[in-house]
Amino acid sequence: MKTLIDLIAENVKDAFVSAGYDEKYAKVTLSNRPDLCEYQCNGAMAAAKEYKKAPIMIAGEVLEHIKEKEMFSSIEAVMPGFINFSISSSYLAGYINEMNEDVLLGCNKVDNPKTIVIDYGGANVAKPLHVGHLRSAVIGESIKRMFKYLGHKVVGDVHLGDWGLQMGLIITELQERKPDLVYFDENYDNEYPSEAPFTISELEEIYPCASAKSKQDEAFKEKAHMATLRLQQGYAPYRAIWKHILNVSVEDLKKNYGNLNVSFDLWKGESDADEYIPEMIEVLKEKNLLHESEGAMVVDVVEESDTKEVPPCIIQKSDGAALYATSDLATLVQREKDYDPDMVVYVVDKRQEMHFTQVFRVAKKAGIVKDDTQLVFNGFGTMNGKDGKPFKTREGGVMRLENLMKEINDAVFEKMMDNRSISEEEARKTAEIVGLAALKYGDLSNQAAKDYVFDIERFSSFEGNTGPYILYTIVRIKSILNKYLEENQIEDTMILAPEGDSEKELMLLLARYNDVIENAIQDLAPHKICAYIYELSNAFNKFYHETKILTCEDEKRKRSYINLISLAKKGLEECIDLLGFSAPDRM
Ligand code: ARG
């Protein structure tokens, strides 16, 4: 379906052309004076310069040439040269009914679906999932859902950090603690046990301990480096330990991501890229891109238009060790082979932007990806505490995601128990659903690239621009529909032309659904969906307060109301599904 704004713009374009003006001036926007009109065109002001005419005259002429007048309830030329439009109620109802018949509520499936790999999550194996990984998971999951919604072929890859020094650190620490394990017996030549020599809690304690040690103890650090190198070179006992670390961690990660309603199509990691490194380096050599600099092998990636320094991309250190960039380039080789993607989107902390600039440039220069493959860095800002500094626990440590979720669920639970009389058990269950919405909406409603303050009190509030408020609105609609259905059946889906202002406002908002969703997807911007559902919820609630829905005496009108609010519910539910959370039946 065409968007309403495009339909208006088509009319306006024709009118500009018929009146003898360039169509480029025929841009239509939402009104910024909703008290005066619903849509507006400011093109006459811009055209005035080219045509050396008063804008109001141009606006007046254009207005004369608008053909589809039945689309509007009013069209006005207003000083100094605005053209103001309001949509006619019957036209609006027609549009809404068409939307209501459509599975995608008026959005258009793409004609040429792209293959898109989304690299998000990015957890590091053996380290507990902490709040730093929250944003990547939450934003990435939403972007994945948005692309899928329009029919793209999407592959979500968690891209675990499973190959770095943390592995060597754990192996070394494990050896100090349990030297008798078979993995450390050079003469052992049987199969290695299938049972891991540690649990997830042990693992989570071993890593920070080893990491701290390595900062004080040079010899320990050196051993860990050696262990990492041996692991990467394929030393069987270390590979066996590594597999255990991976299995134990991934199981835990799956549980945690699951609680966040985040899932991946692929559970690959840096280690999977390893086998593609030699081939990737060969390509760089063939293209004469690699050269030596201070003992390391690097690729220059400076471009003339750079406004800040872009250092060479280091591919290999002097000791031959691979680096972060090496791994990301090899991963691109792998993704080309496996998926031949049209687009790869990275949802990573924006502080890694330079790394990705370098990697993307090398990949293009070397032809590791095709010229027209879009490599997109979708960097996100930091989640801060109320003090404006990166979010920490009260004790100043790194907050584990699990604990963070528990805090927000508790906050929601308390509000529910204060408010009403549902059983504690139901409140607990519902608090998990609502808590997740509070957490995700609190994050996603901010433009991803910006830092934001994580404020449990505000996020879990049932009023204002919050996840719980959106859910509350959906629950309210569900309860009206349930009451209606107790005594009636839904006979048709017809929505009548609006009579009241708040009814029309609600319809105007619903009519914007396809425009908002397509735009949000285009810009990888879940926050636009959040802004929209906040407005939509407000419009519904206003309508609800001003309208007798269930007690409406005109049966036909009542049915139309019911159909309208069902559509509002559908719209809201689709949106929150795109954001990655859902609504309970009661709260
Ligand atoms: N594991 C990395 C980190 O914690 C994030 C990985 C992002 N993805 C990538 N392809 N580099 O910083």
Side-chain angles (χ1 to χ4, degrees):
M1 248 172 106
K2 282 186 184 162
T3 64
L4 186 55
I5 202 162
D6 279 348
L7 290 165
I8 303 171
E10 275 174 13
N11 264 291
V12 178
K13 216 181 263 174
D14 287 348
F16 265 79
V17 174
S18 313
Y21 300 105
D22 196 310
E23 64 169 50
K24 73 175 181 224
Y25 295 114
K27 197 167 171 296
V28 174
T29 57
L30 272 179
S31 162
N32 52 22
R33 285 290 305 275
D35 51 327
L36 297 180
C37 61
E38 292 152 4
Y39 288 89
Q40 70 187 59
C41 168
N42 303 347
M45 258 87 72
K49 293 191 193 85
E50 183 182 331
Y51 295 97
K52 306 209 166 35
K53 243 188 206 177
I56 191 72
M57 283 182 67
I58 298 178
E61 289 169 40
V62 169
L63 206 143
E64 288 304 311
H65 284 89
I66 300 264
K67 284 199 209 82
E68 308 266 338
K69 292 225 163 65
E70 77 281 7
M71 191 169 176
F72 305 103
S73 58
S74 86
I75 318 175
E76 268 180 324
V78 186
M79 283 301 269
F82 298 106
I83 310 175
N84 291 348
F85 304 92
S86 291
I87 307 294
S88 84
S89 294
S90 55
Y91 186 88
L92 182 59
Y95 191 85
I96 290 287
N97 280 306
E98 199 181 325
M99 171 184 175
N100 201 14
E101 298 287 305
D102 187 88
V103 259
L104 290 188
L105 305 182
C107 288
N108 303 293
K109 284 250 181 221
V110 283
D111 296 330
N112 301 306
K114 288 183 181 158
T115 300
I116 303 171
V117 174
I118 307 187
D119 181 314
Y120 69 112
N124 297 315
V125 159
K127 302 183 189 174
L129 207 54
H130 63 79
V131 299
H133 291 112
L134 173 72
R135 299 212 68 192
S136 179
V138 170
I139 298 168
E141 178 71 21
S142 175
I143 291 178
K144 180 185 77 179
R145 288 168 182 234
M146 297 196 308
F147 279 131
K148 277 195 179 157
Y149 188 65
L150 291 194
H152 292 293
K153 185 169 172 274
V154 192
V155 183
D157 183 2
V158 67
H159 198 75
L160 297 173
D162 62 354
W163 205 225
L165 182 61
Q166 82 261 33
M167 298 300 160
L169 284 166
I170 294 169
I171 294 172
T172 309
E173 177 64 18
L174 193 65
Q175 182 162 21
E176 294 209 342
R177 293 186 186 193
K178 303 181 181 175
D180 297 335
L181 287 175
V182 289
Y183 310 92
F184 305 118
D185 175 359
E186 299 275 345
N187 301 318
Y188 183 80
D189 59 1
N190 260 331
E191 257 187 42
Y192 289 104
S194 57
E195 184 93 354
F198 39 67
T199 62
I200 184 69
S201 349
E202 279 172 298
L203 203 53
E204 283 177 358
E205 182 264 323
I206 292 177
Y207 172 73
C209 168
S211 167
K213 238 189 223 176
S214 75
K215 290 194 179 105
Q216 288 158 2
D217 182 342
E218 265 308 312
F220 183 87
K221 190 170 162 189
E222 189 45 40
K223 264 176 97 178
H225 265 294
M226 283 311 296
T228 312
L229 214 60
R230 284 187 93 179
L231 165 73
Q232 295 181 348
Q233 285 162 353
Y235 181 57
Y238 288 4
R239 283 284 171 120
I241 300 179
W242 171 75
K243 275 256 174 277
H244 286 311
I245 302 176
L246 212 62
N247 288 342
V248 170
S249 274
V250 165
E251 190 189 311
D252 185 61
L253 284 171
K254 282 193 174 157
K255 189 186 85 198
N256 273 293
Y257 280 129
N259 289 340
L260 266 181
N261 204 4
V262 167
S263 66
F264 300 91
D265 307 294
L266 273 188
W267 281 81
K268 295 231 180 259
E270 292 175 1
S271 63
D272 293 288
D274 192 60
E275 60 178 292
Y276 297 90
I277 292 177
E279 176 182 342
M280 186 270 294
I281 292 188
E282 235 3 84
V283 175
L284 299 183
K285 280 193 187 144
E286 255 166 46
K287 301 247 157 138
N288 260 332
L289 292 171
L290 264 188
H291 70 87
E292 206 232 75
S293 166
E294 295 170 30
M297 295 308 278
V298 306
V299 176
D300 286 326
V301 288
V302 182
E303 283 175 9
E304 238 168 66
S305 56
D306 288 344
T307 50
K308 63 178 173 201
E309 196 200 332
V310 183
C313 182
I314 311 178
I315 306 291
Q316 232 170 13
K317 284 206 292 201
S318 46
D319 62 0
L323 291 114
Y324 193 35
T326 327
S327 156
D328 268 324
L329 284 163
T331 304
L332 276 173
V333 173
Q334 176 197 354
R335 288 177 177 159
E336 276 298 305
K337 287 205 170 144
D338 292 351
Y339 301 102
D340 187 19
D342 302 295
M343 192 196 273
V344 185
V345 182
Y346 296 83
V347 186
V348 184
D349 191 313
K350 73 174 178 207
R351 287 169 291 193
Q352 294 190 22
E353 180 160 19
M354 182 55 84
H355 162 78
F356 283 99
T357 302
Q358 294 171 312
V359 167
F360 293 176
R361 287 184 183 182
V362 176
K364 287 268 153 129
K365 267 180 122 168
I368 290 173
V369 299
K370 297 177 293 300
D371 274 341
D372 58 358
T373 304
Q374 282 175 277
L375 299 175
V376 181
F377 176 68
N378 192 39
F380 53 81
T382 308
M383 175 174 141
N384 288 324
K386 277 191 184 159
D387 57 359
K389 298 198 189 102
F391 191 85
K392 292 262 156 61
T393 58
R394 264 177 228 112
E395 294 74 35
V398 176
M399 174 74 102
R400 294 184 52 157
L401 195 57
E402 253 177 298
N403 297 340
L404 183 82
M405 288 179 77
K406 191 173 166 338
E407 280 200 20
I408 206 152
N409 290 352
D410 286 348
V412 169
F413 173 75
E414 248 135 61
K415 288 215 171 73
M416 290 196 323
M417 292 310 279
D418 280 354
N419 281 350
R420 60 211 75 234
S421 51
I422 55 175
S423 76
E424 201 175 317
E425 197 193 340
E426 186 181 347
R428 271 280 163 223
K429 275 211 187 104
T430 307
E432 277 178 24
I433 303 176
V434 181
L436 187 64
L439 182 79
K440 286 192 159 186
Y441 189 92
D443 189 306
L444 292 170
S445 54
N446 301 284
Q447 209 176 320
K450 295 215 168 110
D451 298 348
Y452 75 95
V453 173
F454 188 83
D455 182 343
I456 292 193
E457 204 29 52
R458 189 167 72 77
F459 289 3
S460 60
S461 168
F462 284 33
E463 279 148 46
N465 189 7
T466 69
Y469 170 68
I470 308 290
L471 299 194
Y472 192 71
T473 306
I474 296 175
V475 166
R476 174 174 270 167
I477 304 178
K478 284 187 181 179
S479 116
I480 305 171
L481 292 177
N482 284 341
K483 276 205 196 105
Y484 180 81
L485 286 174
E486 275 167 20
E487 283 162 27
N488 306 273
Q489 281 177 330
I490 302 272
E491 287 171 27
D492 60 48
T493 56
M494 182 69 176
I495 297 170
L496 302 174
E499 283 177 336
D501 287 345
S502 61
E503 187 183 3
K504 185 175 186 195
E505 264 169 54
L506 177 57
M507 285 196 194
L508 279 168
L509 264 159
L510 282 168
R512 277 171 50 201
Y513 178 85
N514 51 6
D515 192 31
V516 170
I517 301 292
E518 288 176 2
N519 233 298
I521 295 175
Q522 171 88 24
D523 296 349
L524 304 183
H527 74 275
K528 294 190 173 178
I529 298 183
C530 293
Y532 173 68
I533 52 177
Y534 180 50
E535 266 192 88
L536 184 55
S537 298
N538 284 338
F540 167 77
N541 284 313
K542 188 158 173 246
F543 168 72
Y544 167 80
H545 286 300
E546 290 180 1
T547 314
K548 291 195 175 81
I549 299 176
L550 290 173
T551 52
C552 175
E553 277 166 18
D554 175 349
E555 276 304 320
K556 230 177 145 195
R557 178 66 50 187
K558 175 152 84 176
R559 266 214 308 277
S560 167
Y561 286 157
I562 291 295
N563 292 335
L564 176 63
I565 69 170
S566 306
L567 179 61
K569 174 170 114 33
K570 264 195 255 171
L572 288 169
E573 282 180 331
E574 287 293 356
C575 285
I576 63 171
D577 188 55
L578 291 175
L579 297 173
F581 57 90
S582 58
D585 288 329
R586 307 199 297 166
M587 64 190 269

